[in-house]
Amino acid sequence: MLGLMMDAPLLIPSILEYAAKYHPNTEIVSRNEDHSLHRYTYAEALVRTRKLANALNRLGLKAGDRVATLAWNNYRHLEMYYAVPGAGMVCHTVNPRLFKEQIEYIINDAQDQYIFTDPCFAPLVEAMIMNLPSVKGVVVMGSREQMPGNILHRALCYEDLLVAESPVFEWPQFDERTASGLCYTSGTTGHPKGVLYSHRSTVLHAMAINQPGLFGFGPDETVMPVVPMFHVNAWCVPYAAPLVGARLVLPGPRLDGPGLLEVIRGEGVTVSAGVPTIWMNLLNHCAQTNQSVAPMRRVVIGGAAVPQVLIDGFAAHQALAVQGWGMTETSPLGAVSVLDTRHDDLPAEDRMALQLKAGRSPFGIEMRITDAEGKALPWDGKTRGELEVRGPWVASAYYNLDDRDQFTKDGWFRTGDISTIDADGFMNIVDRVKDVIKTGGEWISSIELENLALQHPSVREAAVIARADTKWSERPRFILALHPGKTITGAELRKVVEPFVARWWIPEDFIVVDEIPHTATGKILKTALRELYGVENHPDAQKM
Ligand code: AMP
């Protein structure tokens, strides 16, 4: 017997309609390419989004067509986030920091029909356009004055398109499982893979992250997604914030320490979200200039392991750093490390040990760890296995790709992360399957060693890679970037590591580099480091 409740589909534009109705005057502040600020309200954003939906139809785009964006976190990109899926098309957010060849591969794989680009990426689009046969047109997301002069002659102007349109638009009603967004994984090995979100998965995920204890935004808050809107829907913040009427600040292209602090203080940002590297830069800038991150009270940090220096650093400013774990394939939220009253009486170091874990899954996500044969392993906080997840906002397949290896026969997604889960459900990422160091048949966690190295005051950034070893097949090696003017000796490094790990975990050597390379989404590019520094005897290696 079916229930007798209304079958109202969960569709993305309903979020903005809601915000415009109940929080019409709440602001969206957006930093432009020239660093000036643009302000408007949810009510005004809705009017422009409806006009954009009309414009998309006038361009001849049909239901299911993919529309690419190459854009920073700004208000026009936000309008695309709602108008494209709302009109029935798929908003394909493309990461402009990828190599040109990777972007071409992605756009061709998606068969994008139009590209909507920020003015600053017009030269990039011009350089690629001949290799993109599916693309029928380019729209530059700016005003007439921002149109590129002597390139992309046939490109359309976003503001001109909107001026011509009616602010009246009836959002079509369709199956909530309809595709809404497309995002390719950052692909440190092999080709990037497309993850195709649906209206249902996106709305459920936005509602889920708004629970207290997770991102938990409220109408009294000013929320700033620093995580780029070209990466996993900026962790869904541009959907979750309007859903509760929170004020939204979109920081634009300037994401260095001074650029972020200026907008945090100037616009009164109270909560934000982004990857660890960004926050390290912010805290370093605060320390150098003796400024505080106030009024920011909460920061969700994920995308890579969160080191203790970051949690301590924010605590020193009375701000809470919350670690989250997720992937492009999981929309992204899979786990958050939040403590509850049961942890109040724990000693400080035990509380910190929990905060350093990736955390517990919210309602909606199920987790398990499995061995090489796929057998479920115990939740004892010690046994390591590959993490598998399932739930309504987890990918069930890749777009245009038959990659059965990543999905189990009984319907779980294999994350490629190695983790432990304790009896309380706190999951800890030990490593990526491909980054873990296998020495004489045993595993060493690169993440754990990296966190220890960061305790040394000279170390700005630390990576541990597997180097070749005649006897053990692989051994760990530190690759370190230091703070300006600082030095480090092997003995000092050994001292910060030794008390906390087994003897055979301690690397024999380390290499100091000027900069550690990052992926387009700000993660340490271990593949490049292994290529550069993975040989057994490297001339730059210093003994520990
Ligand atoms: P992406 O799909 O590019 O967002 O990358 C997802 C991957 O980032 C995961 O599979 C993890 O390896 C890594 N990751 C995300 N969050 C964390 C975290 N809190 N700790 C450790 N690794 C993380």
Side-chain angles (χ1 to χ4, degrees):
M1 183 163 64
L2 291 178
L4 291 173
M5 305 309 281
M6 292 184 187
D7 202 7
L10 301 171
L11 298 179
I12 285 173
S14 62
I15 298 176
L16 193 58
E17 290 281 348
Y18 173 87
K21 191 167 192 175
Y22 290 96
H23 306 273
N25 300 319
T26 299
E27 260 187 333
I28 301 166
V29 183
S30 172
R31 191 157 52 178
N32 298 318
E33 278 180 11
D34 66 1
H35 301 172
S36 61
L37 294 173
H38 173 274
R39 292 171 196 280
Y40 68 169
T41 63
Y42 279 127
E44 289 165 323
L46 177 64
V47 170
R48 281 174 54 92
T49 301
R50 288 185 184 148
K51 288 181 167 200
L52 177 58
N54 278 320
L56 294 169
N57 283 336
R58 195 176 302 278
L59 290 175
L61 288 159
K62 299 271 175 296
D65 282 350
R66 274 77 63 208
V67 180
T69 61
L70 276 163
W72 293 107
N73 294 14
N74 60 45
Y75 68 101
R76 294 189 181 100
H77 206 178
L78 185 77
E79 290 159 6
M80 293 289 287
Y81 259 48
Y82 285 91
V84 177
M89 296 123 208
V90 178
C91 186
H92 174 200
T93 53
V94 181
N95 183 340
R97 291 189 192 143
L98 294 173
F99 293 121
K100 176 176 159 282
E101 293 70 26
Q102 273 176 315
I103 303 181
E104 288 172 357
Y105 169 85
I106 286 174
I107 291 178
N108 288 330
D109 190 58
Q111 291 285 291
D112 293 327
Q113 303 277 304
Y114 261 84
I115 298 178
F116 279 64
T117 178
D118 272 356
C120 63
F121 300 122
L124 173 65
V125 177
E126 164 82 5
M128 296 189 300
I129 198 77
M130 294 302 285
N131 303 328
L132 306 174
S134 67
V135 175
K136 292 187 192 137
V138 176
V139 177
V140 176
M141 295 162 75
S143 59
R144 189 114 291 277
E145 300 77 64
Q146 289 172 292
M147 292 301 284
N150 47 3
I151 55 168
L152 291 177
H153 296 293
R154 290 170 40 214
L156 303 169
C157 166
Y158 185 96
E159 291 303 328
D160 284 358
L161 285 183
L162 257 59
V163 163
E165 295 298 339
S166 154
V168 179
F169 184 84
E170 274 302 316
W171 300 108
Q173 297 294 297
F174 40 70
D175 189 323
E176 64 182 13
R177 293 166 302 175
T178 303
S180 60
L182 179 62
C183 181
Y184 280 71
T185 58
S186 41
T188 47
T189 50
H191 278 309
K193 302 177 197 173
V195 178
L196 190 60
Y197 306 110
S198 69
H199 284 258
R200 173 184 155 81
S201 73
T202 307
V203 175
L204 283 176
H205 179 263
M207 290 166 79
I209 67 174
N210 262 325
Q211 294 172 82
L214 302 181
F215 289 38
F217 302 140
D220 54 342
E221 287 188 295
T222 295
V223 180
M224 176 172 72
V226 174
V227 50
M229 287 171 75
F230 51 74
H231 184 57
V232 209
N233 289 333
W235 298 353
C236 232
V237 174
Y239 295 124
L243 198 146
V244 292
R247 184 165 169 267
L248 198 54
V249 172
L250 302 170
R254 203 172 155 217
L255 303 178
D256 55 355
L260 282 182
L261 193 62
E262 181 187 286
V263 79
I264 289 168
R265 293 172 68 97
E267 290 305 318
V269 171
T270 57
V271 48
S272 188
V275 295
T277 337
I278 289 277
W279 301 121
M280 282 302 231
N281 293 341
L282 176 73
L283 288 179
N284 285 338
H285 173 68
C286 288
Q288 281 155 13
T289 55
N290 202 17
Q291 295 186 78
S292 134
V293 302
M296 200 158 72
R297 299 188 291 257
R298 229 164 68 242
V299 193
V300 183
I301 312 177
V306 178
Q308 186 173 342
V309 280
L310 215 46
I311 298 177
D312 288 341
F314 276 112
H317 293 279
Q318 281 77 50
L320 177 67
V322 178
Q323 167 149 214
W325 168 88
M327 305 179 71
T328 308
E329 291 89 335
T330 61
S331 293
L333 192 76
V336 177
S337 196
V338 267
L339 308 191
D340 55 48
T341 46
R342 282 185 302 159
H343 306 107
D344 282 354
D345 300 329
L346 287 180
E349 63 264 32
D350 292 0
R351 288 170 59 82
M352 179 55 75
L354 289 177
Q355 284 179 274
L356 288 172
K357 293 187 177 193
R360 288 191 282 196
S361 29
F363 170 76
I365 293 287
E366 284 180 86
M367 281 186 178
R368 68 181 185 188
I369 43 174
T370 59
D371 64 12
E373 278 76 50
K375 194 164 76 35
L377 295 168
W379 289 23
D380 58 11
K382 291 196 288 280
T383 310
R384 296 154 175 217
E386 181 169 0
L387 178 68
E388 296 179 352
V389 294
R390 66 177 179 189
W393 55 86
V394 177
S396 62
Y398 287 106
Y399 175 73
N400 202 20
L401 181 77
D402 189 7
D403 187 355
R404 288 193 201 149
D405 282 358
Q406 278 215 249
F407 301 90
T408 69
K409 289 207 172 72
D410 58 344
W412 293 70
F413 169 67
R414 297 179 57 198
T415 64
D417 281 338
I418 297 170
S419 69
T420 61
I421 307 181
D422 71 16
D424 252 354
F426 277 84
M427 184 270 287
N428 188 33
I429 299 284
V430 177
D431 229 323
R432 289 292 292 163
V433 171
K434 53 189 189 308
D435 290 342
V436 75
I437 296 131
K438 296 169 202 93
T439 189
E442 298 285 342
W443 284 355
I444 295 178
S445 154
S446 60
I447 295 180
E448 233 174 295
L449 287 172
E450 285 158 10
N451 283 343
L452 289 171
L454 283 169
Q455 302 295 325
H456 191 286
S458 295
V459 177
R460 179 163 57 85
E461 199 169 15
V464 171
I465 57 159
R467 66 160 174 82
D469 192 88
T470 324
K471 185 165 174 199
W472 301 106
S473 97
E474 284 180 8
R475 287 293 299 154
R477 170 177 281 156
F478 276 121
I479 311 294
L480 305 174
L482 305 182
H483 286 291
K486 299 285 179 192
T487 56
I488 192 164
T489 65
E492 286 170 355
L493 195 51
R494 180 172 270 276
K495 219 162 133 193
V496 289
V497 179
E498 215 159 36
F500 302 101
V501 296
R503 275 174 70 98
W504 57 272
W505 274 47
I506 302 174
E508 283 72 27
D509 57 19
F510 68 102
I511 294 178
V512 174
V513 296
D514 290 339
E515 283 302 331
I516 288 182
H518 291 100
T519 66
T521 49
K523 293 173 203 205
I524 292 176
L525 193 53
K526 297 246 171 119
T527 42
L529 285 177
R530 274 199 299 269
E531 264 168 40
L532 289 169
Y533 306 112
V535 294
E536 182 157 6
N537 297 307
H538 194 281
D540 298 339
Q542 306 179 48
K543 288 273 161 261
M544 281 187 50

